[in-house]
Amino acid sequence: MCGRLACTLCPDDIVNSVHQQTEKTKNNETDAQNGKPDWIERQYVYTPTYNGAPTTVLPVMVHKRSLGLKINENSLKTDEESDYCIIPMRWGMVIPNKPENSTFHTHNARIENVLNSGLYKPCLFSGKRCVILADGYYEWKTTQGKDHKQPFYRHFKSNTENENGKNLVKFAGLFNTIQDESGVKHTCSMLTKDSSASLKWLHHRMPLFLNTPEDIDNWLNSKDIKYEEALKRLPDYEEVAPEFKLDYYQVDKSYVNNSSCNSEKCMERISLKRKSNTLDGWLTKKKKID
């Protein structure tokens, strides 16, 4: 897990949606640390996708400090300024000194192994923590052996269009920075863990979600919150408020299973009909014969 994401919003709508979801209020005033994040593009260019597989370029939120960008840390910061920015990154961390088209799978990073990983540990230690943004993601449930898998789409129940875009799902991740002849590039991996009790029916692994402004700041603020504490503060899916629970529905495998298919049909809800070889189907046929 997780092998496909959907992120269909344009950059402006992503920025507006993130701003709405991450701003904190203190004494009825917006915390300027969580003003509207800047959109920054370097070598990778984001394009909305209904069926993004690993190597797809996705919008990723980071603390500006983790990119080496200067931030205004004095008390005169305006409401428009933010410590965060959103930058398109390649989903699937590129290993330094390895070709970008390497088949080594780095799109998911097991939380249990990051402290022992030669790839992920340096990112964690250097504060390269990030939040991968998406409308939702696809997961496959094995129904009749490994060759029979039914895809489901998971998203927020309130994930409907409004003036600030959709309620985006926010995944905890790590990123690295590489430089080649074309310039500076940023690539990322999503953190995963064993599925919670309520999700084991679907898959044995799940992403680590960030829900509240506090969750996001705990993960991105590497200056004040070191990696040991940040790992401890990652939220438990079972303990979040009901409004942060994700909904799900079945989607058509003929579209989603094709990684080159970038169509709205990938996200459309379907209802699976019972097969005629089931008991219900046999009884129906028998009744017609009688």
Side-chain angles (χ1 to χ4, degrees):
M1 106 48 38
C2 153
R4 297 288 170 79
L5 296 175
C7 192
T8 65
L9 299 181
C10 69
D12 284 345
D13 287 339
I14 291 172
V15 168
N16 289 334
S17 182
V18 169
H19 180 220
Q20 179 193 36
Q21 295 170 53
T22 60
E23 64 180 2
K24 293 190 291 187
T25 57
K26 294 181 179 179
N27 299 322
N28 298 320
E29 294 183 2
T30 300
D31 183 353
Q33 176 175 310
N34 293 297
K36 186 176 290 189
D38 299 321
W39 181 277
I40 298 174
E41 285 196 358
R42 290 186 173 171
Q43 294 301 311
Y44 292 119
V45 177
Y46 162 75
T47 301
T49 179
Y50 293 95
N51 190 20
T55 73
T56 298
V57 176
L58 298 171
V60 178
M61 184 162 63
V62 299
H63 199 289
K64 290 178 181 177
R65 192 185 296 112
S66 66
L67 294 179
L69 301 175
K70 292 183 179 180
I71 58 174
N72 186 352
E73 300 190 81
N74 60 43
S75 59
L76 300 178
K77 182 185 292 184
T78 68
D79 289 347
E80 286 74 30
E81 294 181 85
S82 173
D83 290 351
Y84 302 150
C85 64
I86 299 174
I87 182 168
M89 293 189 186
R90 177 191 188 269
W91 182 28
M93 197 176 287
V94 173
I95 303 172
N97 303 318
K98 293 285 185 178
E100 192 170 343
N101 61 356
S102 171
T103 57
F104 186 70
H105 297 294
T106 60
H107 58 286
N108 288 337
R110 297 173 68 95
I111 189 77
E112 302 91 343
N113 298 338
V114 291
L115 291 176
N116 301 314
S117 167
L119 177 61
Y120 299 123
K121 182 171 70 172
C123 303
L124 186 64
F125 283 16
S126 61
K128 286 183 166 54
R129 308 189 309 238
C130 67
V131 180
I132 300 170
L133 305 169
D135 298 6
Y137 73 100
Y138 301 97
E139 191 57 87
W140 281 257
K141 175 178 172 56
T142 301
T143 55
Q144 300 176 33
K146 65 179 181 179
D147 295 328
H148 295 81
K149 294 184 178 182
Q150 173 58 46
F152 286 76
Y153 179 63
R154 303 198 71 228
H155 65 103
F156 278 118
K157 292 183 179 180
S158 59
N159 205 357
T160 55
E161 292 287 356
N162 56 55
E163 64 180 1
N164 292 300
K166 295 182 178 180
N167 189 12
L168 296 174
V169 182
K170 296 167 283 293
F171 306 89
L174 296 169
F175 77 96
N176 69 352
T177 301
I178 59 173
Q179 186 163 4
D180 56 21
E181 61 279 1
S182 63
V184 176
K185 297 178 178 180
H186 305 286
T187 65
C188 64
S189 297
M190 180 188 300
L191 291 176
T192 68
K193 66 175 184 176
D194 285 338
S195 286
S196 60
S198 62
L199 288 178
K200 288 185 181 296
W201 66 272
L202 179 59
H203 198 277
H204 66 282
R205 300 290 294 179
M206 64 178 286
L208 277 82
F209 305 104
L210 301 172
N211 300 300
T212 67
E214 289 74 21
D215 291 341
I216 292 169
D217 190 53
N218 286 340
W219 184 241
L220 294 185
N221 187 0
S222 60
K223 178 183 177 182
D224 300 321
I225 303 174
K226 303 308 178 184
Y227 72 90
E228 303 98 329
E229 184 63 24
L231 290 172
K232 292 178 182 178
R233 295 189 187 187
L234 286 168
D236 185 342
Y237 182 81
E238 298 289 6
E239 297 178 358
V240 300
E243 61 266 26
F244 295 122
K245 295 288 186 178
L246 297 179
D247 199 5
Y248 60 89
Y249 57 80
Q250 296 170 127
V251 291
D252 194 326
K253 68 174 70 175
S254 64
Y255 296 109
V256 182
N257 287 8
N258 180 1
S259 61
S260 63
C261 178
N262 186 24
S263 166
E264 293 182 19
K265 291 185 178 295
C266 293
M267 297 173 64
E268 289 181 356
R269 182 191 301 265
I270 64 168
S271 296
L272 295 181
K273 297 180 180 179
R274 291 180 182 271
K275 295 184 177 180
S276 59
N277 62 353
T278 63
L279 179 60
D280 287 349
W282 180 81
L283 290 173
T284 300
K285 286 184 178 179
K286 187 174 186 301
K287 184 175 182 180
K288 288 182 179 179
I289 294 174
D290 293 342

